[in-house]
Amino acid sequence: MARLRARVHGGDIYSAARELKRDPTEILDFSASINPLGPSPQVWKAITASRHLLNHYPDPNCWDLRQALATFWRIDPEQIVVGNGSTELIEALPRALGIRRLLVVQPTFSEYAAAMVRAGGQATALFADRSDQYAIPIDRLCHVMEAGRHDGRSIDGVVLCHPNSPTGQACSAEDVARLAKATRRRGIWLVIDEAFADYCPERSVLPHAASWPHVIVLRSMTKFYALPGLRVGFAVATHTAIRRLQRQLPPWSVSAMGQVAALAAVSDTVHAQKSLRFMARERERLRTLLAALPGCVVMPTYANYFLVELPRGWHARDITEELRRRGLLIRDCSSVPGTNLRSIRLAVRTVQDNDRIVRSISHLLLQGAS
Ligand SMILES: Cc1ncc(COP(=O)(O)O)c(C=O)c1O
């Protein structure tokens, strides 16, 4: 059985700034995949207009935000729970649902396994194949869920990151529905992390999750809505599952400004459309530039980042370190179980930033080759 360990994350501009004796805002961060257009202009207005809320506790029920999310997704607000980032919900899930043995589809975000272990349970892995460009192994997964067993032992939970990080892969909404059906037969919990699904809405199953027993969909306001500093995420599931999850959360875990900003963000469909159009264009441009780097392999993606394999002979750790010295952060994926040592993840940022990272990588590869 493959045992999984906790890993480091991207987005730590503070440590890099301290090391380089620079201001954190001077660090160019490709290691966290945040909408390069930034938060909606409505978010700035809403925060400014809500300054008076700072001397009150936040709404412990996140009432207004849940109403807005429910209207947006056409579901019952009682089927939504908001957390201090989706990370808080990931942490609470094993205890809330009584999961003891979780199957994680790897390579993926490390916190599912880490949270499971912290809750006193075990995490086991089902690996996507590199030879298949890490496509989600949907048939194998269905088979495992129907059997209710993996590696000779029973499982009571499965987590699927969809689209997956760091690989960028996603399957169709119909395939996810197949998993939801398989889960029903065995009563295994299926957690679908849709932190990046805003970039491929046709592959999301969010509204359906409200009526699927044993399925929880997680969403984040961090990535597409560009609010990583405010920490807001939410889960959608049946009434019973949401109540169980809610009971595991500490009171007031979502700040007043987080609630105000998230509400303004989901209400601004103009900024959302602009962000999607930008990403569709810029992602293709960056893909072409990266694919033109000699020896680099660029994986397909449904999200706002690319998993890239460096040319043979290179180690992801070395190039990550070299770029860091230049104030450029990328995600070294060499330690993510299931990827190879040449794997890095790059967020799609602005045109200017993307040109800069490609130039810098190209320069380092040429230097190394000479
Ligand atoms: C796949 C995935 N899910 C969830 C999270 C947690 O996001 P947050 O807690 O900011 O909502 C992350 C953060 O990097 C992630 O990559």
Side-chain angles (χ1 to χ4, degrees):
M1 182 188 68
R3 290 282 166 84
L4 308 163
R5 284 181 291 133
R7 309 282 161 185
V8 288
H9 299 293
D12 186 1
I13 54 171
Y14 301 98
S15 300
R18 275 194 298 274
E19 271 167 48
L20 298 169
K21 299 192 176 22
R22 291 201 203 167
D23 189 85
T25 55
E26 292 170 36
I27 306 296
L28 213 48
D29 185 14
F30 291 83
S31 70
S33 305
I34 311 298
N35 181 349
L37 301 194
S40 148
Q42 301 306 323
V43 165
W44 303 118
K45 283 191 199 150
I47 287 182
T48 312
S50 307
R51 280 177 299 193
H52 61 282
L53 291 180
L54 285 186
N55 59 345
H56 296 280
Y57 272 96
D59 174 358
N61 297 307
C62 301
W63 180 263
D64 291 343
L65 175 56
R66 284 196 299 123
Q67 298 298 317
L69 290 168
T71 306
F72 186 89
W73 289 105
R74 297 175 196 212
I75 50 177
D76 180 355
E78 298 300 318
Q79 294 190 265
I80 301 173
V81 62
V82 184
N84 187 263
S86 54
T87 303
E88 185 178 55
L89 303 170
I90 291 170
E91 188 69 26
L93 274 167
R95 276 173 287 122
L97 304 178
I99 299 173
R100 303 291 305 160
R101 196 153 186 273
L102 181 73
L103 177 70
V104 183
V105 185
Q106 293 275 13
T108 197
F109 186 48
S110 60
E111 283 306 313
Y112 316 124
M116 189 66 243
V117 172
R118 283 193 289 264
Q122 282 185 340
T124 177
L126 181 77
F127 286 94
D129 287 331
R130 160 66 185 83
S131 58
D132 210 7
Q133 296 185 310
Y134 298 112
I136 292 173
I138 198 78
D139 290 331
R140 279 193 285 142
L141 194 51
C142 269
H143 182 72
V144 168
M145 289 177 77
E146 271 158 15
R149 299 178 78 74
H150 181 60
D151 274 351
R153 293 184 57 196
S154 61
I155 50 165
D156 48 16
V158 171
V159 63
L160 174 68
C161 184
H162 190 252
N164 187 33
S165 174
T167 65
Q169 280 284 7
C171 46
S172 67
E174 291 73 30
D175 277 339
V176 182
R178 272 171 64 203
L179 292 180
K181 214 165 156 191
T183 215
R184 202 170 309 170
R185 266 179 237 131
R186 289 272 172 193
I188 297 168
W189 288 102
L190 172 64
V191 179
I192 306 164
D193 182 353
E194 293 196 350
F196 292 99
D198 304 270
Y199 286 107
C200 52
E202 72 290 349
R203 283 166 196 268
S204 164
V205 293
L206 191 159
H208 306 295
S211 56
W212 287 344
H214 291 105
V215 175
I216 318 268
V217 171
L218 298 175
R219 283 276 178 147
S220 173
M221 300 298 293
T222 292
K223 323 286 183 180
F224 181 66
Y225 293 104
L227 301 175
L230 285 176
R231 316 300 307 123
V232 189
F234 64 97
V236 172
T238 60
H239 290 88
T240 320
I242 290 297
R243 272 197 300 274
R244 288 170 71 172
L245 196 44
Q246 177 75 67
R247 278 200 290 270
Q248 291 299 325
L249 301 179
W252 309 295
S253 75
V254 188
S255 71
M257 286 307 125
Q259 294 183 38
V260 162
L263 195 158
V266 284
S267 309
D268 187 353
T269 51
V270 174
H271 187 69
Q273 288 309 317
K274 189 172 160 193
S275 302
L276 285 176
R277 280 195 303 273
F278 174 83
M279 185 52 61
R281 216 173 39 238
E282 185 54 16
R283 188 170 51 193
E284 278 323 295
R285 199 186 73 88
L286 180 58
R287 182 201 303 279
T288 309
L289 293 177
L290 291 168
L293 292 174
C296 285
V297 176
V298 185
M299 295 292 162
T301 189
Y302 290 95
N304 58 339
Y305 47 81
F306 285 107
L307 184 72
V308 179
E309 284 177 0
L310 298 169
R312 290 196 182 277
W314 282 88
H315 196 299
R317 190 188 50 221
D318 299 333
I319 211 146
T320 305
E321 200 42 53
E322 285 296 333
L323 290 169
R324 187 179 177 91
R325 280 194 210 126
R326 293 160 173 77
L328 301 166
L329 299 190
I330 63 166
R331 181 76 169 91
D332 166 10
C333 294
S334 59
S335 61
V336 178
T339 60
N340 65 37
L341 300 177
R342 294 176 285 120
S343 308
I344 56 171
R345 191 192 64 200
L346 291 176
V348 181
R349 292 184 51 108
T350 62
V351 172
Q352 195 187 11
D353 294 348
N354 295 335
D355 284 345
R356 181 159 167 212
I357 195 78
V358 174
R359 261 199 321 272
S360 302
I361 295 176
S362 171
H363 183 70
L364 288 172
L365 294 180
L366 277 175
Q367 255 185 353
S370 60

